[in-house]
Amino acid sequence: MEFLDLPPMLGARGRVRLPGSKSISNRSLLLAALAEGETDIRDLLASDDVERMLDALRALGVQWEREGDTDNYRVRGVGGPFPVKSADLFLGNAGTAFRPLTAALALSGGEYMLSGVARMHERPIGDLVDALRQAGADIEYTGNEGYPPLHIRPAAIRPGGVLKVRGDVSSQFLTALLMALPLTGVETSIEVVGELISKPYIAITLDLMARFGVVVEREGWQRFTVPGGVRYRSPGTLFVEGDASSASYFLAAGAIGGGPVRVEGVGRNSIQGDVRFADALAQLGASIELGDNWIEASAPEGGRLKAFDLDLNHIPDAAMTLAVAAVFADGPCVLRNIASWRVKETDRIAAMATELRKVGAEVEEGADYLKVVPPQSLRPAAIDTYDDHRVAMCFSLVSLGGCRVRINDPKCVNKTFPTYFQVFGEVAAPVPVVAIDGPSASGKGTVGARVAEALGWHHLDSGSLYRIVALAALRAGVDLGDEERVAAIAAALPARFEQERVWLEGEDVTDVIRSETCSSGASKVAVLPAVRAALLDRQRDYRAGPGLVAEGRDMGSVVFADASVKIFLTASVEARAERRYKQLIDKGLPANMESLMQDLRERDARDAARAVAPLQKLPDAALLDTTSMDAEQAVAFVLDRVRERGLAGR
């Protein structure tokens, strides 16, 4: 499975230009296709869902063209029902294409097959089909009753009168009927049965229909009348607003990560209901500013979001972002009236509950609500995304809690925001890492510890970790060949490194781990794959604000490949042997220069010949040859590289 590892983030600030709204993009395309005249659509969203709509329209006889590599399209409307009367359409998992096209095709007098991915065939459409059948449409389920795929046949439509449709499952059913009914040419009313959810999305539909010349009469949110004798007419040029749902991730990033983060493309004049996500953040204590075409969010004065209990029926998509924001709140949070999550790209209530538990939250899941109790501290986790773009995007925010997170199947964001992780990386600042690698006895430990002390950063002496694992296992009475139990010890190793000393559970073990017993034990546990895997994650967990100096093998090539500064610290064999000789003599141990030099040459050869991550200077590492340097000069060299990158004092 493909995955993306996000490192712990220090915070978030900057500006984001939003991609176009999916809801507006697909509605605009369909209305432009059914209208008289040509429509220039500007800033259309580039995504999988929109591609499915474009492909379907072309198959149905609608001509459109893209202006070069831009997001601007010209659509030549057909001025009524689709001219192609037979087509087999695959619509992926695009609900904003599948539902409206179902209604428009049912009223176009042709024979059509509509299908999608497996998940689309699990998303209910029965309420829309029932409403269309009231008008005389001939629609057959070719799989499970009430669900796609669909077979639409020519039928004698009975225009006019009143159609009834449920409003408590998906607002897309009402949207589909509203956009298709002008094709009949006869005044028709729609009565909503039950509560209408996601009303702001219906407001988008009505606004866009009016721009194309069809004004719907509305009696509250229960009855809608589409006038007779009207046809869609092109408005000429139509600009697609930025996606307000996508704005939620960056606004939340500003509220969680300090900010300010400004999103451009939506503002106080937006027709999208999800801009009210900003109001919800304000209730959590975030600082919010709005302009005509932008919204900006910063963290609360106290730094921590307030606990909340909110009805989120009006912003169902953006509400998912609040579910993750809840883990940063100062108490239990409740998200209510979110039953529509069950019939989205996945069962989002179940999915969010499962993944929130992985990062340490306590979650109570109901038919239409979630209760989230934030953890004392976040846990690193691999997040499954269920082929759901919004799950992937909102869980990226966990990294702002100083916690690494893995996003499985990150390409699912292509549905609405293909460049999401790139853009997120432009506003979120990773915890900086200085990675110091090099051959044995080159002075990595001394230089790393002193650089960390000078910066006030954390320090990782990776070379000592296997020795500490052996020591901890021996003290716990665990056989060093018991891979599972030794790996469990390695994964939760309570070790820290301060001022050139090594500590295990508060005990200074600097000298203890250099014993022959620990050295021998380190060799035994180092060959266990589960231990090596556990220590890889454990080493990455040392990455915490304000920064980390990590020294040892493979630091810049494997463990922290994204390190801000990489140093390859080396010295001649003679210089290294002399330093090792002095260390041994100072400890009262016997030493022989020739033997030390021979040992170092052999170890260098083995390290350079390793099949995995052989020891070598990386192209992006700075070479630091300390043969003629003392420790202070070497430390100054590294600190200069850190300052050049603007990392000191972050």
Side-chain angles (χ1 to χ4, degrees):
M1 176 183 290
E2 291 189 15
F3 60 84
L4 174 68
D5 284 331
L6 296 177
M9 300 294 180
L10 275 182
R13 64 184 299 126
R15 296 189 176 206
V16 173
R17 182 70 186 178
L18 295 170
S21 160
K22 177 183 69 169
S23 298
I24 296 177
S25 291
N26 268 349
R27 284 167 172 80
S28 298
L29 283 173
L30 181 56
L31 293 174
L34 300 177
E36 297 175 346
E38 295 185 351
T39 304
D40 290 325
I41 303 177
R42 306 293 181 184
D43 302 324
L44 192 75
L45 172 65
S47 74
D48 287 347
D49 277 24
V50 174
E51 288 294 329
R52 299 291 77 72
M53 177 66 89
L54 286 166
D55 291 345
L57 293 179
R58 177 158 282 166
L60 293 167
V62 178
Q63 298 180 25
W64 55 263
E65 58 190 32
R66 182 181 181 184
E67 294 182 9
D69 293 329
T70 71
D71 293 326
N72 302 328
Y73 288 73
R74 175 165 292 177
V75 181
R76 295 178 178 84
V78 297
F82 292 113
V84 171
K85 300 304 180 184
S86 178
D88 190 342
L89 305 176
F90 176 79
L91 297 168
N93 200 14
T96 55
F98 203 110
R99 275 74 176 268
L101 278 172
T102 294
L105 292 170
L107 304 181
S108 287
E111 184 167 2
Y112 308 101
M113 302 293 295
L114 281 72
S115 64
V117 299
R119 174 56 187 170
M120 178 57 77
H121 297 169
E122 297 172 350
R123 299 175 68 180
I125 200 169
D127 295 317
L128 174 59
V129 171
D130 289 346
L132 290 167
R133 285 173 173 172
Q134 295 169 39
D138 184 353
I139 305 175
E140 175 190 355
Y141 301 111
T142 63
N144 293 326
E145 189 75 12
Y147 298 85
L150 302 177
H151 183 185
I152 299 173
R153 296 184 178 87
I157 300 300
R158 301 183 296 273
V162 177
L163 303 180
K164 294 185 178 183
V165 65
R166 283 180 60 187
D168 58 354
V169 176
S170 173
S171 65
Q172 289 179 5
F173 301 155
L174 177 57
T175 278
L177 291 172
L178 288 168
M179 290 199 295
L181 283 173
L183 296 177
T184 68
V186 177
E187 179 178 299
T188 307
S189 294
I190 306 170
E191 287 186 357
V192 177
V193 178
E195 180 188 6
L196 176 61
I197 64 172
S198 307
K199 297 180 182 69
Y201 285 97
I202 300 303
I204 293 174
T205 302
L206 299 177
D207 182 281
L208 290 171
M209 289 176 66
R211 295 190 196 189
F212 280 87
V214 176
V215 177
V216 176
E217 180 183 333
R218 177 168 69 86
E219 299 175 30
W221 295 100
Q222 295 302 123
R223 188 180 178 93
F224 300 81
T225 300
V226 178
V230 295
R231 299 171 74 87
Y232 289 123
R233 298 185 305 276
S234 170
T237 300
L238 188 70
F239 289 87
V240 175
E241 287 184 11
D243 184 41
S245 299
S246 295
S248 70
Y249 314 117
F250 299 102
L251 295 175
I256 296 165
V261 174
R262 176 175 291 195
V263 295
E264 299 174 342
V266 293
R268 64 167 61 96
N269 297 323
S270 172
I271 67 172
Q272 298 173 76
D274 274 356
V275 295
R276 294 173 64 186
F277 176 82
D279 297 335
L281 275 184
Q283 293 183 58
L284 275 59
S287 174
I288 302 293
E289 295 185 29
L290 286 90
D292 290 342
N293 197 44
W294 57 267
I295 308 175
E296 187 172 280
S298 301
E301 287 188 11
R304 195 165 178 88
L305 298 174
K306 298 176 183 176
F308 61 87
D309 187 332
L310 296 173
D311 184 322
L312 299 167
N313 180 265
H314 60 297
I315 54 169
D317 287 342
M320 293 178 68
T321 312
L322 287 176
V324 175
V327 303
F328 297 95
D330 60 7
C333 302
V334 184
L335 297 84
R336 300 190 186 277
N337 208 359
I338 53 172
S340 64
W341 284 18
R342 297 283 189 190
V343 295
K344 295 288 188 175
E345 281 82 344
T346 188
D347 180 341
R348 287 175 169 170
I349 290 181
M352 294 300 288
T354 299
E355 303 310 311
L356 285 167
R357 292 186 184 109
K358 288 183 181 179
V359 302
E362 293 181 25
V363 184
E364 179 183 322
E365 172 190 341
D368 65 348
Y369 74 91
L370 278 179
K371 180 179 180 181
V372 181
V373 180
Q376 291 296 317
S377 60
L378 290 167
R379 293 199 300 254
I383 301 299
D384 292 317
T385 51
Y386 309 89
D387 196 26
D388 190 330
H389 54 134
R390 301 208 183 279
V391 174
M393 291 187 281
C394 65
F395 270 95
S396 65
L397 299 171
V398 172
S399 63
L400 291 166
C403 180
R404 61 184 173 85
V405 60
R406 171 169 290 182
I407 306 295
N408 288 328
D409 188 23
K411 290 183 179 179
C412 66
V413 301
N414 291 348
K415 182 177 177 68
T416 52
F417 201 157
T419 60
Y420 173 77
F421 290 108
Q422 174 187 332
V423 176
F424 180 73
E426 292 170 0
V427 298
V431 171
V433 175
V434 173
I436 303 176
D437 205 345
S440 179
S442 58
K444 300 186 295 293
T446 299
V447 173
R450 295 187 186 182
V451 168
E453 184 178 6
L455 293 171
W457 288 8
H458 301 280
H459 176 222
L460 167 60
D461 173 6
S462 70
S464 297
L465 284 178
Y466 287 100
R467 293 173 179 268
I468 301 174
V469 170
L471 176 63
L474 290 169
R475 287 182 171 181
V478 174
D479 187 301
L480 297 185
D482 189 335
E483 183 171 359
E484 183 177 348
R485 294 181 67 190
V486 175
I489 290 173
L493 201 62
R496 73 180 195 276
F497 308 92
E498 294 178 2
Q499 299 178 341
E500 301 183 54
R501 308 300 293 176
V502 182
W503 301 80
L504 175 63
E505 291 186 302
E507 176 190 351
D508 185 342
V509 295
T510 308
D511 297 325
V512 175
I513 61 173
R514 299 297 171 185
S515 69
E516 181 59 34
T517 300
C518 283
S519 296
S520 174
S523 298
K524 293 178 180 177
V525 301
V527 299
L528 303 175
V531 173
R532 298 188 68 85
L535 281 185
L536 177 61
D537 286 340
R538 185 67 189 90
Q539 289 174 93
R540 287 173 174 165
D541 287 339
Y542 281 94
R543 186 176 191 169
L548 173 68
V549 178
E551 49 88 2
R553 304 292 172 82
D554 311 329
M555 284 297 102
S557 58
V558 177
V559 185
F560 300 110
D562 65 335
S564 311
V565 174
K566 297 180 182 180
I567 304 292
F568 189 82
L569 194 155
T570 189
S572 67
V573 170
E574 291 78 10
R576 288 184 283 144
E578 186 175 336
R579 292 168 187 167
R580 179 65 59 83
Y581 179 85
K582 184 178 179 181
Q583 289 174 349
L584 294 172
I585 294 298
D586 287 346
K587 292 180 179 180
L589 299 173
N592 178 278
M593 277 291 294
E594 289 299 324
S595 296
L596 289 172
M597 285 193 291
Q598 181 63 27
D599 179 65
L600 288 173
R601 289 190 183 99
E602 291 175 356
R603 180 173 293 191
D604 288 350
R606 290 197 303 271
D607 289 343
R610 284 183 300 180
V612 178
L615 180 65
Q616 59 185 357
K617 177 187 172 299
L618 298 171
D620 56 347
L623 178 64
L624 173 56
D625 189 330
T626 64
T627 301
S628 302
M629 283 186 182
D630 59 24
E632 286 70 24
Q633 291 172 311
V635 169
F637 177 93
V638 178
L639 290 175
D640 284 345
R641 304 289 87 73
V642 173
R643 295 187 183 106
E644 287 171 4
R645 295 293 305 273
L647 301 175
R650 266 192 180 182

